[in-house]
């Protein structure tokens, strides 16, 4: 396994990272023991970055138990900001919630520090200075080593960097955007911005959250558990594009999963691609493709199917800023809508 430096942190991480959502017993693998065996095999193969979140059910607990005796060999990442209960203050990135949430994550993970603590989704209700101030204190206390964001728009990334510099606070070291053969929007602004600021990038959804596994085909029954509540897994345009990638992978003599993962780590702005295997066979397939390198000709053909910087449809889990969610932010009052 080769290793890459995570931005300017000096931390070395594997190009393939282990996503832990599928280790939550309620949504993924129901057997924590089996999840532990998957984690151990990934570590034995050289994957040293594990990414989880407080909002992933009991994932942190499963990961923490599995890492007993091996914690020092893992770059452990988790996230905060998603709702963790009905209380409106048990979410977001206020100092009040962060200092509570980090203690909860440390307890569930059975560790005294988190290597990378990330904002799961932007929190427009909280001043970024408030968030960075709380994170800076966590770094000084030794409970957190590095900090990052997930699905943050490029303009917000730049603002956070400016605030950190002006206020003498710790700056975000990483960003975690969606990125795959189907969703290349990050290439337009986010990846160039993180490169400009020397940040590391951990991309999520490199397998299209199931669409790029080869198990989802147009005109056939979709067996994915998530297909019943994620619209993007049944999007006809996305399914049409997947068929084109299946044909391209077959012509190249590659499984679709290997094509997809190799593509995700080819961009110079990407440090690691996070894959979330649910079973040992899923992990075995992932590991079988770690030596795949895509040629320029193959990358050109990928560009012809999905042009750089474009998305085929929208992921259900993609961040939608308030300006798009709230009509009042994009509509003037009725009496001010005419030019007269």
């Amino acid at each position: 396994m080769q290793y890459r430096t995570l931005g300017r942190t000096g931390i070395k991480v594997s190009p393939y990272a282990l996503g832990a959502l599928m280790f939550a017993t309620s949504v993924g693998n129901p057997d924590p023991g089996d999840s532990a065996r998957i984690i151990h095999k990934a570590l034995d193969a050289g994957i040293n970055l594990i990414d989880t979140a407080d909002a992933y059910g009991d994932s942190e607990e499963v990961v923490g138990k599995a890492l007993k005796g091996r914690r020092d060999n893992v770059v452990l990442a988790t996230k905060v900001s998603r709702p963790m209960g009905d209380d409106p203050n048990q979410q977001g990135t206020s100092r009040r919630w962060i200092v509570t949430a980090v203690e909860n994550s440390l307890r569930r993970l059975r560790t005294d520090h988190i290597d990378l603590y990330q904002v799961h989704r932007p929190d427009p209700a909280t001043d970024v200075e408030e968030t960075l101030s709380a994170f800076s204190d966590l770094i000084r206390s030794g409970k957190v080593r590095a900090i990052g964001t997930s699905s943050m728009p490029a303009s917000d990334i730049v603002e956070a960097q400016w605030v950190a510099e002006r206020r003498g606070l710790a700056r975000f070291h990483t960003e975690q955007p969606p990125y795959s053969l189907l969703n290349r929007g990050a290439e337009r602004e986010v990846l160039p911005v993180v490169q400009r600021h020397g940040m590391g990038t951990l991309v999520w959804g490199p397998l299209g959250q199931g669409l790029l596994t080869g198990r989802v085909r147009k005109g056939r029954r979709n067996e994915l558990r998530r297909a019943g509540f994620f619209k993007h897994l049944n999007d006809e345009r996305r399914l049409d594009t997947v068929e084109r990638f299946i044909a391209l992978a077959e012509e190249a003599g590659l499984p679709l999963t290997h094509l997809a993962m190799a593509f995700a780590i080819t961009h110079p702005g990407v440090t690691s691609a996070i894959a979330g295997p649910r079973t040992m066979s899923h992990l075995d397939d992932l590991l079988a493709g770690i030596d795949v390198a895509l040629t320029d000709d193959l990358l050109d053909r990928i560009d012809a199917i999905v042009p750089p910087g474009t998305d085929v449809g929208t992921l259900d889990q993609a961040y939608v800023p308030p300006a798009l969610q709230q009509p009042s932010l994009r509509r003037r009052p009725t009496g001010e809508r005419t030019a007269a």
Side-chain angles (χ1 to χ4, degrees):
M1 185 74 68
Q2 298 186 34
Y3 294 90
R4 299 174 175 181
T5 305
L6 188 61
R8 294 174 182 163
T9 65
I11 300 171
K12 305 295 183 181
V13 296
S14 49
Y16 287 1
L18 192 64
L21 172 60
M22 288 293 103
F23 299 147
T25 55
S26 60
V27 297
N29 194 320
D31 181 359
D34 192 38
S35 293
R37 288 185 287 274
I38 293 171
I39 291 172
H40 294 161
K41 185 167 185 177
L43 297 180
D44 291 341
I47 292 177
N48 73 337
L49 173 58
I50 298 178
D51 178 78
T52 185
D54 58 3
Y56 290 171
D58 60 351
S59 172
E60 285 185 324
E61 295 171 343
V62 173
V63 169
K65 186 176 181 179
L67 291 183
K68 183 178 180 180
R70 305 190 69 166
R71 171 65 182 92
D72 291 343
N73 303 118
V74 174
V75 178
L76 185 57
T78 192
K79 299 183 281 290
V80 62
S81 82
R82 285 290 184 89
M84 290 295 289
D86 295 330
D87 188 323
N89 286 311
Q90 292 182 333
Q91 61 182 295
T93 58
S94 68
R95 172 181 286 272
R96 183 180 189 275
W97 175 236
I98 286 173
V99 297
T100 298
V102 73
E103 295 295 341
N104 292 338
S105 286
L106 287 169
R107 172 177 48 80
R108 288 189 292 261
L109 290 166
R110 304 186 180 194
T111 185
D112 62 358
H113 72 279
I114 294 166
D115 295 301
L116 176 61
Y117 201 38
Q118 305 157 100
V119 174
H120 205 155
R121 289 293 184 273
D123 176 15
T126 304
D127 193 317
V128 69
E129 183 176 343
E130 172 87 356
T131 302
L132 288 173
S133 176
F135 276 1
S136 297
D137 288 346
L138 292 180
I139 291 175
R140 282 192 287 269
S141 71
K143 294 178 180 179
V144 169
R145 300 293 193 255
I147 56 176
T149 57
S150 177
S151 300
M152 185 168 279
S155 59
D156 289 358
I157 294 173
V158 173
E159 180 186 1
Q161 294 288 323
W162 287 348
V163 168
E165 182 176 350
R166 287 198 307 267
R167 302 302 186 191
L169 300 171
R171 67 187 187 92
F172 288 126
H173 302 103
T174 65
E175 160 60 10
Q176 190 177 131
Y179 185 61
S180 71
L181 290 167
L182 297 170
N183 289 90
R184 303 182 60 178
E187 294 174 339
R188 186 170 294 275
E189 290 188 348
V190 171
L191 289 177
V193 163
V194 298
Q195 287 178 277
R196 190 177 309 140
H197 289 283
M199 299 170 65
T201 309
L202 315 174
V203 299
W204 61 269
L207 295 178
Q209 296 193 294
L211 278 179
L212 297 170
T213 61
R215 295 186 291 129
V216 181
R217 302 295 300 269
K218 185 176 182 180
R220 302 182 189 178
R221 184 177 179 180
N222 192 332
E223 299 294 340
L224 290 181
R225 297 183 179 185
R226 292 168 284 179
F229 46 90
F230 283 160
K231 296 178 181 178
H232 68 261
L233 295 175
N234 299 288
D235 185 292
E236 287 295 318
R237 184 181 168 211
R238 289 170 69 83
L239 291 171
D240 285 338
T241 307
V242 168
E243 290 299 317
R244 297 180 67 184
F245 280 129
I246 289 175
L248 180 62
E250 289 177 349
E251 188 175 338
L254 295 172
L256 180 59
T257 50
H258 296 180
L259 178 74
M261 290 298 295
F263 169 80
I265 65 168
T266 294
H267 193 289
V270 173
T271 312
S272 296
I274 302 170
R278 181 174 58 85
T279 67
M280 190 67 77
S281 63
H282 294 165
L283 176 65
D284 289 339
D285 178 60
L286 175 71
L287 295 176
I290 61 174
D291 61 349
V292 172
L294 305 185
T295 64
D296 286 342
D297 176 66
L298 196 51
L299 291 169
D300 289 341
R301 297 182 66 181
I302 289 172
D303 289 348
I305 296 174
V306 178
T310 64
D311 291 326
V312 181
T314 303
L315 292 168
D316 295 68
Q317 295 170 303
Y319 171 68
V320 181
L324 299 182
Q325 289 182 330
Q326 302 174 28
S328 62
L329 296 179
R330 60 179 187 274
R331 298 174 184 174
R332 289 178 179 271
T334 305
E336 299 178 7
R337 295 178 186 176
T338 66

